[in-house]
Amino acid sequence: MVGLLSMANYDLNNYLRQMESFRAVDHARENLVNELIEKFSSLMREHLELKSDYLSERDNRRNYQSRVEEVHRAMSEHERQVDSSSFVLALIDGDGAIFQDSLLQAAGGDGGSEAASRLYHAIHSHISTLYSNSGNWPVMVQVYLSLDKLAFKLQQIGLLRHSSEMRTFAQRFSVNQPLFSIIDVGQGKERADHKIKEMLRTFSDNPTCRHIIFGGCHDAGYLLNLDQFKHNEAKAGRITLLESTPAYRGFVELPNFKRANFDDVFRNEPLPDFAPAISTTVAAAQSPPHPAQSPVVVRSLMNGSMMSSTPPVKPVVAAVVSPSPSPSTPAPSVSATESSDDSTWASVGNTGSRRAESISIAPSKANTKRKYAYYNKLEQRLDEPLPARDRASVEALDARMKKNGKKMCNNFHLGGSCTQGKFCQFQHEPKLTPGELVALRYKARSLACNNRYCEDIDCYLGHQCANERDFGNCRYDQTCHLRATHGMDKAKWVRVDRDGKEEYSP
C-alpha cells in the first residue's frame, strides 16, 4: 500500500515537470513567433517605403527624360532657326575706306551698283574660306560716312565732277543689294564712329550674326572697342579686319582676328590732300579770260553750304589753286606754341580736310593759331585751361551786372551772336573788354554742357571740372555743377580742328 502511494506521487511530479517544460517551450515558441511577426512587419514597412521611393524616382526619371527630349527638340529647332536666320555683317567707315577711283568715276553714275556687286562677291568669297556651310548666308553691309563732306573732298581733288554724283553713287549702291546701305551721318565729329561702335557691340554677341567684317582699321579710335576681344579666340575669330588703306599700327598687333583686303573695291592709299597741279600756261590757254571780279565758289567743309551762288562754268584755272611755295618764297611763320604742340600729335586716317584744301584766292593769314576740341580715349570732351583772370576785370563785370540787374548774354559775348537781338533778356552792350571776356568765360565754364561728347568747337560751357583737372580734387564735391565729370580720364587722346581733321596723341 505504501509502495503504490509513492509510485503515484512519483508519476505526478514527473508530469508536473513535463508540464512546466511544455509551458517553457510554448512560451519560447510564442516569443519566436512574435519576434518573427515584428520583423516581418518592419520589413513590410521598409518594402513599402522603398517601393514608394522607386515609383517616385521612376516618375521623376520619366519626367526628366521627357524634358530632356523636349529640350533637345527645342535646341534643334533653335539651331534650325539660327541657321536659317544667319547672316554676315559688314561695318565700314566710309570716311576712311574709299571706293576705287574707277567706281567713283564710272560713266552714267553706275559705279555704285558695280561697287555693291564687287563687295558682295568679295565678302562671300572671304566667308566661304572660313565656314563650310556659309553658302546661303545673306550679307548685310552698312557704310557710314558724311556724304556731303566726302563728296566735296572728292570733287576738290578731281575724282568727281560735281558733288551730287556721290549721292547718285550711294543710291545705286543701296539699290543693287537689298541689305546694302550707305548711311549719311551728316556733319560732326566721329558720328560714323559712334554708330559703328554701337553696331559692333550689339552684334558681336548676336548668335545669328555669324561673322563681322570691320572696315575701320584706318582710325585708331576703334582700337579700344576691339581690344576687349583680342584674348577671346571665339569672338575675335568671328571678326575680320578689313584693311583698305594701310592699317594703323595697333590693328596690326591685334591677335586672333581674321584679316582681308578687297583691293578691287576700295582704294589702298589715302586720298591726296590736293588735286594734281595744273600748269599755269596750259590752264590759261584752255580758259577764257575772266573778269577781275569773277566770283569763286568756296564750300565750307563743316556745313557743306555754298558761299557763292555763281558756279564756275569751266575747269578750275590755275588762279584759284593755291600754288606750292617756291624755294625763294619764305613759308608763313608759325607760333612757337602751335609748332611745339603739333609735333606731339599725329594725323590718322585723313578723315578730315585741311584748311589749305579750301579753294580760295584770298591771301592766307600767317601766325593764325588753329583751334581744337580735345577728347580722351572714351571720346569725352576735355577743356583747355583759360587764361588767368585779373581781379579788377572780375569786379568790373560783377558791378556792371549788379548795376543793370541783368546777367551778360553768353551767346552774344562768347558765341559771337544772339538770335534774340533786342528782345534778349541779358546784356549785350557795351561790349566787354578782353579782361572782362576772360572773367565771363570763367563764369560760363562753371556751367556744365549737357553733352559729354560735345562736338561744338566753339562751345563755351564746361565739359570737365577745372578744380579736379588743375588741382587733383574739387573742394565743392557734390555741389559742383560739373561733379558728373569727377574721376574722368584727363589725358588728351585726340584733337579735332574746325574742319573735322583728327589728330591722335602718340
Side-chain angles (χ1 to χ4, degrees), residues 87 89 91 140 144 194-210 212 225 228-229 235 238-239:
F87 66 96
L89 175 65
L91 300 173
M140 178 185 297
Y144 297 93
H194 286 305
K195 288 187 172 292
I196 291 177
K197 290 173 183 177
E198 185 61 20
M199 290 287 285
L200 181 64
R201 184 194 67 80
T202 301
F203 286 97
S204 60
D205 292 322
N206 189 326
T208 61
C209 181
R210 306 301 290 270
I212 297 176
N225 301 86
Q228 59 181 311
F229 302 134
K235 283 191 174 183
R238 293 177 54 234
I239 300 176

Side-chain angles (χ1 to χ4, degrees), residues 370-403:
R370 301 175 72 181
K371 190 172 183 179
Y372 296 94
Y374 291 87
Y375 300 84
N376 61 19
K377 285 189 176 182
L378 297 178
E379 299 178 358
Q380 297 167 331
R381 178 76 173 265
L382 302 175
D383 290 329
E384 284 284 82
L386 294 172
R389 52 186 168 177
D390 64 276
R391 182 175 180 179
S393 297
V394 174
E395 292 176 349
L397 184 66
D398 291 340
R400 174 173 164 176
M401 290 189 292
K402 184 176 181 181
K403 178 181 178 181

Side-chain angles (χ1 to χ4, degrees), residues 481-498:
H481 292 301
L482 291 155
R483 59 184 176 275
T485 69
H486 290 174
M488 72 183 295
D489 182 6
K490 297 183 285 292
K492 297 175 182 176
W493 171 247
V494 61
R495 69 180 185 181
V496 184
D497 65 12
R498 193 177 300 279

Side-chain angles (χ1 to χ4, degrees), residues 245-282:
T245 56
Y248 188 69
R249 183 183 62 187
F251 292 100
V252 177
E253 298 172 353
L254 287 176
N256 299 322
F257 289 87
K258 303 293 188 296
R259 302 178 188 280
N261 298 88
F262 300 159
D263 290 336
D264 62 334
V265 181
F266 298 101
R267 291 174 57 97
N268 53 21
E269 294 180 356
L271 290 174
D273 291 333
F274 304 97
I278 303 176
S279 170
T280 304
T281 305
V282 175

Side-chain angles (χ1 to χ4, degrees), residues 98-99 101 104-105 153-161 165 267 271-272:
I98 310 297
F99 290 99
D101 296 358
L104 295 170
Q105 297 176 316
K153 173 67 176 179
L154 295 174
Q155 180 189 14
Q156 193 177 39
I157 62 176
L159 289 180
L160 296 180
R161 293 182 298 274
E165 294 177 359
R267 291 174 57 97
L271 290 174

Side-chain angles (χ1 to χ4, degrees), residues 458-473:
D458 295 315
C459 182
Y460 48 74
L461 297 176
H463 304 94
Q464 69 178 126
C465 175
N467 287 323
E468 188 187 54
R469 179 196 63 209
D470 299 334
F471 307 110
N473 60 78

Side-chain angles (χ1 to χ4, degrees), residues 146-218:
S146 176
L147 197 64
D148 290 338
K149 185 176 178 179
L150 179 60
F152 178 64
K153 173 67 176 179
L154 295 174
Q155 180 189 14
Q156 193 177 39
I157 62 176
L159 289 180
L160 296 180
R161 293 182 298 274
H162 194 276
S163 58
S164 62
E165 294 177 359
M166 189 62 204
R167 193 165 297 276
T168 302
F169 180 95
Q171 293 171 348
R172 299 289 178 85
F173 179 90
S174 301
V175 169
N176 181 272
Q177 297 292 328
L179 297 179
F180 279 33
S181 300
I182 290 182
I183 301 171
D184 181 13
V185 299
Q187 302 292 337
K189 173 189 173 293
E190 298 185 350
R191 292 190 179 183
D193 300 40
H194 286 305
K195 288 187 172 292
I196 291 177
K197 290 173 183 177
E198 185 61 20
M199 290 287 285
L200 181 64
R201 184 194 67 80
T202 301
F203 286 97
S204 60
D205 292 322
N206 189 326
T208 61
C209 181
R210 306 301 290 270
H211 203 81
I212 297 176
I213 309 290
F214 175 78
C217 296
H218 57 276

Side-chain angles (χ1 to χ4, degrees), residues 50-113:
L50 290 174
K51 182 180 179 180
S52 177
D53 291 343
Y54 164 75
L55 293 176
S56 178
E57 288 298 324
R58 185 189 66 181
D59 292 341
N60 290 337
R61 176 66 180 179
R62 288 177 177 176
N63 291 335
Y64 171 77
Q65 188 66 30
S66 176
R67 289 197 299 270
V68 168
E69 293 174 356
E70 183 179 350
V71 169
H72 283 166
R73 287 193 298 270
M75 289 181 62
S76 299
E77 177 63 19
H78 176 71
E79 290 176 357
R80 186 192 67 79
Q81 293 178 354
V82 168
D83 189 63
S84 64
S85 303
S86 295
F87 66 96
V88 178
L89 175 65
L91 300 173
I92 299 173
D93 188 337
D95 289 331
I98 310 297
F99 290 99
Q100 285 282 359
D101 296 358
S102 59
L103 297 174
L104 295 170
Q105 297 176 316
D110 205 39
S113 179

